[in-house]
């Protein structure tokens, strides 16, 4: 048997030199009791002229490697190399030096992991073609698999390729990375560059091949994997074992190979035969309720793209959240989900978010797994197309209001966070410098939202039919044998936008570099005046960019963006669109817009007895009509900027209060309503007319429930002594009109049949709790109201769970006896509330006593995984606010040593990162000692961080934030020292 040799440091990085895997067979035997995996893989490989094949393989013990049946020499050096580098740690003298050390360590690890580490020496390439003979490899398969070499100009005929069979026997013991054991359960994850931690493979961006997969498990287990299940074989062993045989007929990257083994319950889809849903027996009822909608999304995608699902089957597998590193782990023709997404028929609040997550995972099967990116730079396009497809599902099955409202909020988040090169969608520097980590965490979410918004901008330019045709062309050509690969590039998509979408080349020439290859969104500050003599609107515009002035990324911001933005004016005689605002050119502009309506003759309106000068009335909730809200000197009702969201822009528009009220009352678009509420809420003073308008909108059951919730929070914001607590009075009055028994003056038993009204009423207690007096105290009326809601909460006779209902009360009141609840969520929110109360009363309540109350919930055996993590987060909060950031980080490192679950590690790291961000933005920044920084650096370089790339990424970000830098690798490569971050955004 050939022995692995220790590789020299200068031989660490090997290039593949053109080797191509044509086909890979993977055989896995799982020993669940001893937590071992025994593997055998067989690869048909086109060997390059060097005779050396470079693969990726980590965390495994390799017993033997053969090439064409003969023992082969190989070298294998683990990617993870822990070095107790005292010299680098001793050089840490401050947070900045620690950040530099972390940057060097993190980048070195990422760079090292991209290199193949299993180097196999094959016999020198034979000049005779006999190595092909006997393998029964069709010539067309070789031609297809070697497409990249053909495209690059390799003139060698495919049958002259030296195809060899490489076999590797290996095993894994107590594995921690890439594949995980739980209680009678095994599953893989899709962390970046971790699939080779459970089977050897060629992990390069361009490598895709067919797979045959065999998994042998105990007979009472089910092995779920990629492709079509051909058959199952029961052995004669005692006890018997079962082998599941899968075949994946679509070439995919090794990164999309997945496996889950457990005693799963299998639920075939009632509407579509190729879909199966699986979970553990305890979750079966919730699974049946959760996936009932799924066939709608599946059929919608097939209809929109005018073609059938690209794989022969699709499996959705739900596993316990405590062992799932993320809520969604995608694989080819299957997806692993956290079972926390499941819900029963009694729970209302999870429905929307769960459906959207399942729909997005399905969309990624089309764009990202079946249709692939040609280069790493092109990944944004596949993510954006999957998000676009998901948005079409939201619009069709959750409503146009839901789709537009979500897109508006996502755009707002993008405009706040799109401030540096990490958010440039198509950037060679970002891809090479960030090593794929730009898809992790906040920036990954921002990039996805930005990609979808950019594609929607293109759709609006070319029309929905043309854009849909482009997606259909992309999918239709994929199985065409003349089309060598299923890869899609940004350049090709731009060509389709011109050819199929009929967009002009000059427009595309400006659009792609500005929106896709650069960072930053336009910021528009606008105001207007009405010229009565000329009957014209004079509009003043000042254009800026979200990228900070003076930064390297801001150098092109003054060139503007392509296209013309529309201004929509609602006048007495109707609505008129004016596409007149150029997004390029002068940053300061003055535009003139001709009005169509004529001024009505002035009428003297006698004020009603008891009314106020602004048209409001203390004794009634009615508001003035639209005509009364029109200025006596203007025919304008209200004005909207970019009403169809054709631009991803941060717009600050100023118009009179009565015009904002008109927009809220008369405009039917949810985005316009949300914008009006935000503008009215942010006024320095709130008249009774504003309060009444918000209250009337809240009370309108025909309005979209999400915007009504915005109105409720706006009402809470307006409540003050100066307005006689009018906002608070309206909130309580509205709630009582819906939920109280008028005869006895107490809450009626819960009735949640009206789902939109349920969501609105659920938000009222929290809105009431936000009301504050001048001395920052809660008004007595608010406290009494909330206590009454809790005391008389009665869910008898209600078919729906009131757990989320109680959560809203717990968050508001701040004190409640702990009790078991659905998914531990009530206990979790009580912990949050306990921390808030403790911090507010820290002068009278010893914090140590509060910590002692929380610590029992850290008991791993007695508490659920979620409760344990939330207890740790609560203790981190108390440690930070009472003892400072240094103490909090020390406690965090202690928790990391104890926390066994990958998702738990990630959540705690994210929470500490948020505390660091709060610390960096505070006036009194807490210093961090060198010893603590060294502890973080050691954790960053530890095996635990290697096993969890999400933990490692956030540890790196933590150190950068402590040093006063933005947590992006891109900034360091450009030599920038940024302050500020997007982590303050509320999602």
């Amino acid at each position: 048997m050939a022995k692995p040799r220790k590789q020299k440091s200068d031989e660490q990085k090997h290039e593949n030199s053109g080797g191509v895997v044509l086909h890979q067979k993977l055989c896995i035997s799982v020993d669940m009791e001893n937590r071992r995996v025994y593997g055998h893989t067989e690869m048909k490989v086109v060997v390059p002229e060097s005779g050396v094949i470079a693969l990726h393989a980590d965390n495994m013990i390799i017993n033997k490697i053969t090439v064409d049946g003969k023992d082969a020499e190989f070298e294998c050096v683990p990617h993870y190399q822990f070095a107790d580098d005292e010299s680098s740690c001793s050089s840490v003298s401050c947070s900045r030096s620690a950040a530099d050390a972390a940057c060097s360590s993190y980048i070195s690890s990422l760079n090292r992991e991209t290199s193949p580490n299993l180097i196999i020496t094959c016999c020198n390439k034979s000049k005779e073609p006999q190595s092909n003979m006997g393998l029964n490899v069709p010539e067309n398969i070789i031609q297809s698999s070697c497409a990249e070499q053909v495209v690059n100009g390799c003139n060698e005929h495919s049958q002259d390729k030296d195809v060899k069979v490489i076999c590797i026997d290996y095993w894994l013991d107590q594995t921690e990375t890439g594949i995980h054991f739980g209680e009678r359960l095994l599953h893989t994850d899709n962390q970046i560059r971790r699939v080779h931690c459970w089977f050897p493979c060629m992990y390069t961006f361009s490598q895709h091949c067919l797979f045959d997969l065999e998994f042998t498990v105990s007979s009472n287990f089910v092995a779920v994997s990629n492709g079509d299940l051909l058959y199952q074989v029961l052995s004669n062993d005692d006890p018997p074992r079962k082998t599941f045989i899968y075949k994946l007929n679509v070439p995919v990257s090794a990164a999309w190979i997945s496996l889950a083994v457990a005693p799963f319950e299998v639920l075939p889809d009632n509407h579509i035969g190729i879909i199966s849903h699986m979970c553990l027996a305890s979750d079966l009822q919730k699974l049946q309720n959760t996936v009932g909608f799924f066939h709608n999304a599946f059929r919608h995608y097939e209809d929109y793209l005018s073609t059938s699902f690209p794989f022969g089957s699709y499996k959705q597998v739900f596993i316990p959240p405590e062992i799932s590193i993320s809520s969604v782990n995608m694989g080819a023709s299957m997806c692993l989900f956290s079972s926390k997404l499941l819900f029963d028929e009694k729970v209302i609040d999870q429905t929307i978010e769960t459906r959207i997550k399942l729909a997005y995972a399905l969309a990624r099967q089309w764009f990202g797994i079946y249709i692939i990116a040609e280069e790493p730079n092109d990944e944004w396009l596949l993510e954006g197309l999957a998000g676009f497809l998901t948005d079409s599902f939201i619009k069709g099955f959750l409503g146009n209001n839901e789709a537009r409202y979500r897109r508006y909020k996502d755009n707002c988040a993008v405009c706040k966070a799109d401030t540096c090169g990490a958010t440039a969608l198509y950037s060679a520097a970002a891809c090479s410098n960030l090593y794929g980590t730009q898809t992790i965490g906040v920036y990954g979410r921002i990039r996805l939202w930005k990609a979808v918004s950019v594609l929607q901008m293109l759709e609006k330019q070319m029309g929905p039919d043309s854009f849909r045709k482009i997606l259909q062309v992309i999918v239709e050509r994929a199985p065409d044998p003349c089309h060598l690969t299923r890869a899609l590039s940004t350049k090709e998509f731009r060509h389709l936008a011109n050819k199929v979408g009929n967009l002009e080349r000059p427009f595309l020439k400006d659009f792609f570099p500005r929106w896709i290859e650069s960072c930053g969104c336009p910021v528009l500050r606008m105001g207007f005046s009405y010229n009565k003599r000329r009957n014209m609107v004079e509009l003043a515009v000042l254009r800026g960019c979200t990228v900070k002035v003076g930064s390297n990324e801001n150098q092109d911001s003054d060139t503007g963006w392509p296209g013309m933005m529309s201004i929509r004016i609602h006048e007495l005689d109707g609505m008129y669109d004016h596409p007149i605002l150029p997004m390029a050119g002068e940053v300061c502009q003055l535009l003139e817009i001709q009005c169509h309506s004529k001024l009505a003759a002035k009428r003297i309106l006698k004020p009603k007895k008891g009314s106020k000068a602004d048209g409001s009335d203390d004794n009634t909730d009615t508001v003035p009509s639209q005509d009364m809200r029109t200025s006596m000197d203007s025919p304008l009702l209200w004005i909207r900027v970019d009403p169809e969201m054709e631009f991803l822009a941060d717009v600050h528009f100023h118009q009179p209060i009565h015009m904002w009220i008109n927009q809220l009352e008369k405009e039917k678009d949810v985005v316009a309503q949300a914008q009006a509420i935000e503008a009215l809420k942010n006024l320095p003073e709130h008249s009774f007319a504003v309060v009444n308008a918000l209250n009337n909108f809240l009370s309108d059951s025909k309005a979209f429930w999400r915007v009504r919730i915005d109105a409720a929070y706006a009402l809470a914001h307006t409540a003050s002594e100066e307005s006689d607590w009018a906002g608070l009075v309206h909130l309580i009055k509205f709630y009582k009109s819906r939920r109280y028994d008028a005869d006895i003056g107490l809450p009626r038993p819960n009735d949640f049949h009206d789902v939109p009204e349920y969501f609105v009423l659920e938000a009222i207690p929290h809105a009431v709790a936000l009301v504050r007096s001048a001395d920052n105290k809660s008004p007595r009326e608010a406290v009494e109201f909330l206590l009454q809601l809790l005391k008389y909460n009665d869910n008898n006779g209600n078919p729906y769970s009131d757990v989320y209902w109680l959560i809203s009360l717990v968050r508001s009141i701040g004190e409640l006896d702990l009790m078991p609840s659905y998914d531990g969520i009530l206990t979790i929110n009580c912990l949050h509330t306990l921390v808030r109360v403790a911090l507010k009363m820290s002068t009278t309540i010893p914090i140590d006593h509060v910590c002692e109350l929380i610590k029992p919930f850290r008991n791993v055996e007695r508490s659920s995984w979620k409760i344990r993590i939330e207890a740790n987060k609560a203790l981190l909060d108390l440690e930070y606010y009472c003892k400072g950031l240094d103490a909090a980080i020390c406690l965090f490192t202690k928790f990391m040593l104890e926390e066994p679950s990958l998702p738990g590690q990630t959540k705690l790291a994210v929470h500490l990162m948020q505390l660091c961000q709060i610390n960096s933005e505070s006036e009194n920044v807490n210093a961090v000692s060198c010893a603590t920084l060294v502890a973080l650096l050691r954790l960053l370089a530890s095996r635990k961080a290697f096993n969890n790339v999400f933990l490692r990424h956030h540890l790196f970000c933590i150190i950068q934030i402590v040093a006063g830098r933005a947590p992006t690798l891109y900034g360091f490569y450009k030599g920038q020292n940024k302050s500020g971050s997007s982590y303050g955004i509320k999602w």
Side-chain angles (χ1 to χ4, degrees):
M1 180 182 73
K3 300 291 185 182
R5 299 202 307 260
K6 185 174 181 180
Q7 192 174 348
K8 298 179 181 178
S9 58
D10 58 349
E11 296 175 344
Q12 175 72 26
K13 188 170 183 178
H14 287 268
E15 296 299 332
N16 198 37
S17 304
V20 175
V21 178
L22 303 177
H23 178 273
Q24 184 163 4
K25 181 178 181 179
L26 178 62
C27 303
I28 294 286
S29 177
V30 178
D31 182 351
M32 198 73 72
E33 182 178 355
N34 296 309
R35 299 200 167 201
R36 283 189 175 183
V37 172
Y38 300 91
H40 170 84
T41 187
E42 179 181 300
M43 292 182 280
K44 293 179 181 178
V45 182
V46 178
V47 179
E49 292 186 2
S50 64
V52 175
I53 286 295
L55 303 176
H56 287 75
D58 262 314
N59 272 23
M60 61 187 66
I61 301 169
I62 298 178
N63 290 332
K64 184 178 182 180
I65 298 180
T66 63
V67 177
D68 286 348
K70 298 180 180 179
D71 287 356
E73 293 185 352
F74 63 93
E75 301 173 352
C76 186
V77 176
H79 281 128
Y80 172 73
Q81 298 174 357
F82 177 74
D84 192 3
D85 194 347
E86 293 295 340
S87 60
S88 63
C89 292
S90 62
S91 64
V92 174
S93 58
C94 63
S95 60
R96 290 185 178 274
S97 60
D100 292 336
C103 191
S104 175
S105 173
Y106 190 37
I107 292 171
S108 175
S109 297
L110 292 171
N111 183 48
R112 184 168 58 246
E113 290 165 13
T114 60
S115 307
N117 65 322
L118 175 58
I119 313 303
I120 303 172
T121 303
C122 303
C123 56
N124 291 332
K125 180 183 175 184
S126 173
K127 295 181 180 179
E128 305 161 38
Q130 70 267 20
S131 59
N132 248 0
M133 301 173 64
L135 292 179
N136 298 322
V137 182
E139 180 179 331
N140 64 332
I141 291 182
I142 299 180
Q143 288 176 332
S144 176
S145 299
C146 301
E148 182 183 7
Q149 295 167 305
V150 174
V151 171
N152 290 335
C154 180
N155 296 321
E156 188 177 13
H157 196 269
S158 60
Q159 62 182 347
D160 293 329
K161 297 288 180 184
D162 191 12
V163 179
K164 295 187 178 297
V165 177
I166 298 177
C167 297
I168 304 174
D169 292 324
Y170 66 97
W171 60 286
L172 313 173
D173 185 28
Q174 302 293 330
T175 179
E176 298 175 330
T177 311
I179 188 168
H180 313 277
F181 282 95
E183 185 66 30
R184 302 185 72 226
L185 186 146
L186 173 143
H187 76 97
T188 61
D189 64 57
N190 64 344
Q191 294 189 73
I192 297 175
R193 291 181 289 275
R194 292 298 181 268
V195 67
H196 57 266
C197 291
W198 66 282
F199 73 92
C201 59
M202 189 174 287
Y203 195 104
T204 61
F205 191 82
S206 59
Q207 173 61 49
H208 302 80
C209 70
L210 303 174
F211 282 86
D212 284 331
L213 305 166
E214 297 183 6
F215 305 101
T216 301
V217 298
S218 298
S219 59
N220 58 331
F221 285 84
V222 176
V224 189
S225 190
N226 317 93
D228 300 329
L229 177 62
L230 301 183
Y231 48 87
Q232 306 171 35
V233 177
L234 191 65
S235 72
N236 295 323
D237 300 337
D238 187 19
R241 291 170 63 80
K242 186 182 294 185
T243 300
F244 293 78
I245 294 110
Y246 290 89
K247 189 173 187 63
L248 187 56
N249 291 318
V250 176
V252 299
S253 166
W256 299 122
I257 299 302
S258 306
L259 171 65
V261 177
F264 289 120
E265 296 287 339
V266 181
L267 177 67
D269 194 275
N270 292 330
H271 302 85
I272 301 174
I274 65 173
I275 300 177
S276 299
H277 316 283
M278 305 178 197
C279 68
L280 298 180
S282 58
D283 292 324
L284 183 58
Q285 184 177 359
K286 290 192 290 186
L287 176 68
Q288 293 172 329
N289 180 73
T290 302
V291 300
F293 83 100
F294 191 72
H295 66 282
N296 292 321
F298 194 90
R299 292 299 188 207
H300 170 74
Y301 291 164
E302 288 191 324
D303 178 66
Y304 186 89
L305 298 172
S306 295
T307 187
S308 57
F309 187 65
F311 299 99
S313 64
Y314 184 62
K315 287 86 66 178
Q316 296 191 121
V317 185
F318 295 84
I319 60 178
E322 60 268 22
I323 64 170
S324 177
I325 192 168
S326 60
S327 60
V328 180
N329 290 277
M330 287 173 283
S333 79
M334 71 174 290
C335 192
L336 290 170
F337 297 98
S338 166
S339 60
K340 70 179 183 181
L341 297 178
L342 299 174
F343 57 92
D344 58 39
E345 68 279 1
K346 295 182 179 180
V347 176
I348 299 174
D349 297 65
Q350 278 188 236
T351 304
I352 294 176
E353 296 305 321
T354 291
R355 290 185 176 184
I356 291 175
K357 284 193 174 184
L358 268 57
Y360 177 72
L362 177 61
R364 284 289 281 170
Q365 294 292 320
W366 296 92
F367 297 105
I369 299 179
Y370 180 62
I371 306 297
I372 59 177
E374 186 171 292
E375 299 290 342
N377 262 0
D378 303 312
E379 285 282 6
W380 76 271
L381 180 55
L382 280 306
E383 292 178 358
L385 289 173
F388 181 91
L389 201 60
T390 306
D391 271 14
S392 72
F393 161 77
I394 296 173
K395 182 178 180 180
F397 293 91
L398 298 178
N400 187 56
N401 284 342
E402 179 74 17
R404 280 186 61 82
Y405 185 88
R406 297 178 74 92
R407 180 50 41 202
Y408 167 66
K409 292 297 184 179
D410 290 351
N411 287 359
C412 291
V414 172
C415 289
K416 290 180 181 179
D418 191 7
T419 60
C420 67
T423 50
L425 297 177
Y426 184 82
S427 169
C431 282
S432 60
N433 294 345
L434 298 177
Y435 295 95
T437 62
Q438 68 270 21
T439 63
I440 298 177
V442 172
Y443 280 109
R445 194 174 303 179
I446 291 296
R447 287 169 58 86
L448 171 60
W449 292 341
K450 182 178 180 180
V452 176
S453 293
V454 168
L455 293 175
Q456 289 183 336
M457 290 162 58
L458 284 174
E459 183 206 30
K460 291 182 184 300
Q461 290 290 329
M462 67 180 68
D465 292 338
S466 295
F467 192 86
R468 180 181 180 183
K469 181 61 177 176
I470 290 177
L471 269 62
Q472 292 174 348
V473 169
I474 293 171
V475 175
E476 286 171 2
R477 67 171 192 186
D480 186 351
C482 297
H483 194 84
L484 294 178
T485 69
R486 303 188 315 278
L488 176 65
S489 68
T490 303
K491 181 179 179 181
E492 187 173 10
F493 184 78
R494 177 173 168 175
H495 171 73
L496 290 172
N498 170 247
K499 183 178 179 181
V500 180
N502 298 315
L503 293 182
E504 298 178 355
R505 291 184 183 274
F507 171 80
L508 294 173
K509 185 178 180 181
D510 292 334
F511 184 92
F512 273 72
R514 197 63 190 91
W515 282 109
I516 298 170
E517 299 172 18
S518 305
C519 61
C521 301
V523 179
L524 300 176
R525 304 186 184 279
M526 308 172 64
F528 79 96
S529 63
Y530 173 68
N531 189 316
K532 182 178 179 180
R533 182 177 61 83
R534 300 171 61 199
N535 196 27
M536 276 192 170
V537 173
E538 297 172 342
L539 189 69
V541 183
L542 175 63
R543 190 185 70 246
C545 181
T546 55
V547 176
K548 300 297 184 286
V549 176
S551 67
N552 293 342
E553 285 116 351
N554 187 250
Q555 57 189 357
D556 296 328
S557 63
D558 58 348
T559 61
W561 289 261
M564 303 286 284
M565 183 177 284
S566 289
I567 308 298
R568 178 173 293 173
I569 300 182
H570 292 260
E571 305 179 25
L572 287 172
D573 294 345
M575 179 192 76
Y576 303 92
D577 280 337
H578 306 273
I580 63 165
L581 175 57
M583 296 298 290
E586 295 294 330
V587 296
C588 298
Q589 300 182 58
L590 183 63
L591 307 175
E592 294 183 339
I593 304 175
Q594 184 66 56
C595 292
H596 297 75
S597 304
K598 300 294 184 181
L599 274 175
K602 289 186 178 181
R603 294 182 299 165
I604 299 177
L605 298 176
K606 294 182 179 180
K608 185 173 57 174
K609 184 177 181 181
S611 65
K612 298 182 181 293
D614 63 358
S616 65
D617 191 336
D618 284 339
N619 302 317
T620 179
D621 288 338
T622 60
V623 295
S625 66
Q626 186 181 35
D627 291 337
M628 293 177 66
R629 286 270 166 77
T630 304
S631 171
M632 302 298 287
D633 297 322
S634 167
L636 306 176
L637 298 177
W638 70 92
I639 298 176
R640 291 193 62 195
V641 179
D642 191 24
E644 300 302 325
M645 292 192 292
E646 296 177 315
F647 287 85
L648 179 57
D650 185 12
V651 178
H652 303 267
F653 181 64
H654 300 276
Q655 64 180 346
I657 295 176
H658 73 271
M659 296 178 69
W660 283 120
I661 294 177
N662 283 342
Q663 180 170 319
L664 177 61
E665 293 178 341
K666 302 300 180 181
E667 179 69 78
K668 302 303 181 184
D669 178 31
V670 295
V671 174
Q673 295 165 351
Q675 290 171 337
I677 289 172
E678 185 69 15
L680 294 174
K681 183 185 76 171
N682 292 330
L683 291 173
E685 296 181 359
H686 300 95
S687 66
F688 284 97
V690 170
V691 174
N692 287 337
L694 292 171
N695 177 58
N696 286 344
F697 188 87
L698 170 64
S699 304
D700 185 2
S701 59
K702 295 181 180 179
F704 184 48
W705 62 271
R706 288 195 186 273
V707 191
R708 292 173 68 194
I709 291 175
D710 288 348
Y713 283 108
L715 272 175
H717 185 76
T718 67
S720 64
E721 293 96 335
E722 291 76 14
S723 62
D724 295 331
W725 303 107
L728 175 61
V729 171
H730 283 311
L731 285 172
I732 295 177
K733 183 178 179 180
F734 167 76
Y735 189 96
K736 289 185 175 181
S737 69
R738 264 65 172 179
R739 295 285 296 113
Y740 270 55
D741 187 316
D743 295 331
I744 61 176
L746 294 175
R748 295 194 300 267
N750 296 335
D751 183 357
F752 299 157
H753 285 89
D754 189 335
V755 174
E757 197 74 6
Y758 162 82
F759 283 124
V760 174
L761 291 171
E762 185 186 53
I764 298 299
H766 191 235
V768 168
L770 296 177
V771 176
R772 293 291 185 269
S773 61
D775 59 357
N776 205 31
K777 302 294 183 181
S778 297
R780 180 177 55 83
E781 295 82 359
V783 175
E784 292 178 351
F785 171 70
L786 295 175
L787 289 174
Q788 192 177 60
L789 293 185
L790 178 62
K791 181 178 180 180
Y792 293 101
N793 180 71
D794 181 2
N795 208 50
N796 290 324
N798 186 27
Y800 299 101
S801 168
D802 65 344
V803 59
Y804 284 93
W805 188 266
L806 280 172
I807 287 170
S808 68
L809 298 179
V810 171
R811 287 174 177 171
S812 307
I813 297 169
E815 186 173 351
L816 187 68
D817 290 337
L818 302 182
M819 61 185 69
S821 63
Y822 172 81
D823 208 18
I825 199 164
L826 186 57
T827 304
I828 289 170
N829 281 273
C830 288
L831 289 172
H832 293 172
T833 302
L834 184 60
V835 171
R836 289 196 296 269
V837 172
L839 292 174
K840 290 178 181 178
M841 305 183 68
S842 57
T843 57
T844 57
I845 299 178
I847 295 297
D848 291 342
H849 292 180
V850 179
C851 292
E852 291 302 318
L853 289 174
I854 295 175
K855 285 180 180 178
F857 294 96
R858 298 187 62 243
N859 188 311
V860 177
E861 296 179 357
R862 292 179 54 191
S863 299
S864 75
W865 166 77
K866 279 189 174 182
I867 294 175
R868 183 179 77 246
I869 298 304
E870 294 303 325
N872 286 340
K873 288 164 64 175
L875 292 172
L876 285 175
D877 284 339
L878 292 173
E879 195 78 1
Y880 169 72
Y881 286 106
C882 297
K883 299 180 182 179
L885 183 61
D886 189 271
I889 295 177
C890 290
L891 184 61
F892 165 79
T893 56
K894 176 179 180 292
F895 288 167
M896 280 296 102
L897 295 176
E898 303 170 351
E899 181 52 42
S901 70
L902 273 65
Q905 297 164 6
T906 304
K907 286 180 178 294
L908 290 177
V910 171
H911 191 71
L912 179 64
M913 185 176 65
Q914 294 169 345
L915 292 178
C916 292
Q917 188 68 34
I918 293 171
N919 181 72
S920 67
E921 295 172 354
S922 65
E923 296 181 359
N924 301 316
V925 177
N926 295 313
V928 178
S929 68
C930 290
T932 303
L933 293 171
V934 169
L936 281 177
L937 286 172
R938 292 183 184 278
L939 185 57
L940 177 67
S942 69
R943 165 69 70 173
K944 189 179 289 285
F946 176 82
N947 292 340
N948 187 343
V949 297
F950 299 98
L951 168 64
R952 185 176 63 177
H953 177 79
H954 289 102
L955 285 172
F956 167 77
C957 293
I958 286 167
I959 298 175
Q960 303 310 314
I961 295 172
V962 170
R965 299 174 177 175
T968 61
L969 291 176
Y970 187 61
F972 298 118
Y973 270 90
K974 303 202 73 172
Q976 297 176 18
N977 181 18
K978 299 188 181 80
S979 61
S981 165
S982 63
Y983 287 100
I985 297 174
K986 294 182 179 179
W987 308 110

